[in-house]
Amino acid sequence: MEWETVIGLEIHAQLATKSKIFSGASTAYGAEPNTQACAVDLGLPGVLPVLNAEVVRMATAFGLAVDAEVAPRSVFARKNYFYPDLPKGYQISQYELPIVKTGKLIIALENGEEKEIGITRAHLEEDAGKSLHEDFAGMTGIDLNRAGTPLLEIVSEPDMRSAKEAVAYMKKIHTLVQYLGICDGNMQEGSFRCDANVSVRPRGELALGTRTEIKNLNSFRFIERAIAFEVERQIDLLETGGEVVQETRLYDPDRDETRSMRSKEEANDYRYFPDPDLLPVEISADFIEKVRLELPELPDIKRQRFVTELGLSAYDAGLLTASRALSEYFEAVLAELEGEAKLVANWVSGELSGRLHKEGLEIAQCPVSASDLAGLLARVVDDTISGKIAKEVFAAMWAGEGSADEIIAAKGLKQITDTGALDALIDEIIAANPNQAEQLRAGKDKLLGYFVGQVMKATQGKANPGMVNQLLKQKLLGSGKHEGSS
Ligand code: ADP
Ligand code: MG
């Protein structure tokens, strides 16, 4: 039997506010345990939550960016459950009336086709605290710094059909929330994570199979592996006469497997009811329009513009717009090198991104600024140095040795464009290689490359390659006229 995989994701994006969703405590990451939890976050009696207006703006921006309906009225509800890191005994979330409903997102598939993924809803909620199991022998510590941190939970339709599609969707949302400036996207710190709901069904069957939910995946690699494992596990079960049990599972990256955590709770286990401490959130049409006007250029639109306006390939445009910071770096370099989009794109997505990746750095930590890179590429454009030498200069810039011009001067890397100097050198090289010269003249064209190589070697790569080619052809083959040569 052929099986079809069905996946729906619940993504938790931590909203990048300075203070918590219902209190004035700081959301900064990494503070000493319990130093950023006030009476509201601790759930002390007699305190009242006050909604942080910024989270409403952020959720609205997200809703608009995914073509969703931003609800004029949404309601906070209490989701009741007991857990040590939840001092109130309930989490404030949205249930029946979320702030964002029925949106969509287009993802690119590996075969180059596009696919629309439905977004069921996105709702606001508070995060819980953290249990620390490792710090105290035989005991568990509770850190409530994270309690009350604002989250936007983005729930997809069960529209994905493979682990790769799920990752593509997750990456796309990751890019989007960072463009919008509503989430820092830091997955190691848990600012962006997801629960993956996975089921399988016989291909052609319309009804959905029983799903399991894999909790708290915080890396793209883990999502892909966890889903792959889970799909195999479910198929094995079904093919050997077993049944999939609806449950919550955890992925263990060390063993590369998922394990049962608890049986799935139903919504009615949570005794949801509207939180009497909070008013419904009412959003005016004017407010929505104002947020719409303030939206930045979104990644899909920017990617299109890079293709139509700058003439980049769809592939390059995709690479450069994968992160807002990278696209802005690219645009800053290009602003100083008008008309050189292709050259700048090659450098930013090639040499620069390669180095960043190798050293595990983000673009924000790049030691070569956009204007420094523009300074280097300007010397390629005006033929002061070749593309190859530019890489050497770039490495020196990366190491902090100065600007492109300083390095070119200090290392004597200026390209030799003086025909007279090259002329004599080429004559010498031809004289020193009579056999190769003879064979080349007899038709062994490949040897031209040999001569170019010799000239480059003698000049430490500083000869202008175009000029060398022309001079060699002219001298050895009697063709390839070059202006200024006699
Ligand atoms: P809950 O809130 O109890 O986890 P929801 O019905 O809101 O359940 O669904 C949560 C997520 O699970 C959604 O992303 C949805 O698309 C996905 N989902 C629901 N049923 C299935 C299924 N049979 N297979 C895969 N994903 C599913
Ligand atoms: Mg769920």
Side-chain angles (χ1 to χ4, degrees), residues 238-251:
L238 295 170
E239 288 189 340
T240 52
E243 253 179 39
V244 175
V245 182
Q246 183 166 339
E247 63 184 354
T248 301
R249 298 179 70 87
L250 270 189
Y251 175 67

Side-chain angles (χ1 to χ4, degrees), residues 328-330 332-333 336 348 352 363-377 394 397-398 402-403:
E328 285 175 352
Y329 185 102
F330 165 76
V333 179
E336 297 186 34
V348 172
L352 184 100
I363 184 77
Q365 304 161 296
C366 182
V368 177
S369 73
S371 110
D372 288 345
L373 181 61
L376 170 65
L377 298 186
F394 181 74
M397 290 168 76
W398 192 279
S403 71

Side-chain angles (χ1 to χ4, degrees), residues 6-10 155-158 197-199 208-211 213 264:
V6 175
I7 303 159
L9 296 187
E10 294 162 276
V155 182
S156 84
E157 289 292 301
N197 294 269
V198 180
S199 66
L208 294 175
T210 304
R211 72 177 146 136
E213 178 172 356
K264 171 79 186 164

Side-chain angles (χ1 to χ4, degrees), residues 300-318:
D300 282 349
I301 297 186
K302 186 170 263 198
R303 185 165 46 86
Q304 271 308 317
R305 181 168 65 78
F306 280 6
V307 172
T308 51
E309 232 172 65
L310 303 178
L312 297 185
S313 68
Y315 180 77
D316 282 348

Side-chain angles (χ1 to χ4, degrees), residues 200-357:
V200 298
R201 64 182 170 191
R203 192 171 294 284
E205 169 74 55
L206 288 180
L208 294 175
T210 304
R211 72 177 146 136
T212 59
E213 178 172 356
I214 315 165
K215 279 279 176 200
N216 259 328
L217 297 162
N218 71 341
S219 101
F220 296 122
R221 202 163 54 92
F222 292 170
I223 293 164
E224 187 165 344
R225 302 190 70 134
I227 293 173
F229 174 88
E230 188 55 22
V231 166
E232 282 306 306
R233 191 188 70 86
Q234 291 186 10
I235 292 174
D236 277 354
L237 260 178
L238 295 170
E239 288 189 340
T240 52
E243 253 179 39
V244 175
V245 182
Q246 183 166 339
E247 63 184 354
T248 301
R249 298 179 70 87
L250 270 189
Y251 175 67
D252 177 347
D254 296 329
R255 296 184 171 193
D256 191 24
E257 63 179 28
T258 65
R259 274 201 301 276
S260 179
M261 186 173 142
R262 57 171 188 250
S263 65
K264 171 79 186 164
E265 52 291 290
E266 298 294 331
N268 58 16
D269 292 334
Y270 288 120
R271 299 289 185 266
Y272 278 101
F273 65 87
D275 192 315
D277 288 343
L278 287 156
L279 289 168
V281 183
E282 294 193 338
I283 302 180
S284 69
D286 281 355
F287 175 79
I288 296 175
E289 276 325 296
K290 187 168 157 283
V291 175
R292 191 194 300 279
L293 285 175
E294 287 167 4
L295 285 181
E297 185 179 29
L298 297 177
D300 282 349
I301 297 186
K302 186 170 263 198
R303 185 165 46 86
Q304 271 308 317
R305 181 168 65 78
F306 280 6
V307 172
T308 51
E309 232 172 65
L310 303 178
L312 297 185
S313 68
Y315 180 77
D316 282 348
L319 281 182
L320 292 169
T321 53
S323 107
R324 178 173 173 178
L326 191 70
S327 72
E328 285 175 352
Y329 185 102
F330 165 76
E331 290 185 288
V333 179
L334 189 58
E336 297 186 34
L337 281 172
E338 215 183 304
E340 298 291 342
K342 185 68 194 158
L343 175 74
V344 177
N346 284 344
W347 271 80
V348 172
S349 61
E351 202 70 9
L352 184 100
S353 294
R355 275 243 169 196
L356 288 172
H357 184 72

Side-chain angles (χ1 to χ4, degrees), residues 145-204:
N145 283 352
R146 206 178 62 186
T149 296
L151 300 177
L152 185 67
E153 176 171 338
I154 304 157
V155 182
S156 84
E157 289 292 301
D159 283 349
M160 286 149 278
R161 294 290 171 268
S162 69
K164 287 214 156 38
E165 283 185 21
V167 170
Y169 166 78
M170 176 94 172
K171 282 190 171 162
K172 189 108 195 216
I173 297 270
H174 188 239
T175 298
L176 186 62
V177 294
Q178 290 179 82
Y179 264 77
L180 293 168
I182 64 172
C183 173
D184 68 18
N186 190 324
M187 297 177 81
Q188 279 99 48
E189 292 178 5
S191 304
F192 191 82
R193 53 193 198 260
C194 87
D195 304 337
N197 294 269
V198 180
S199 66
V200 298
R201 64 182 170 191
R203 192 171 294 284

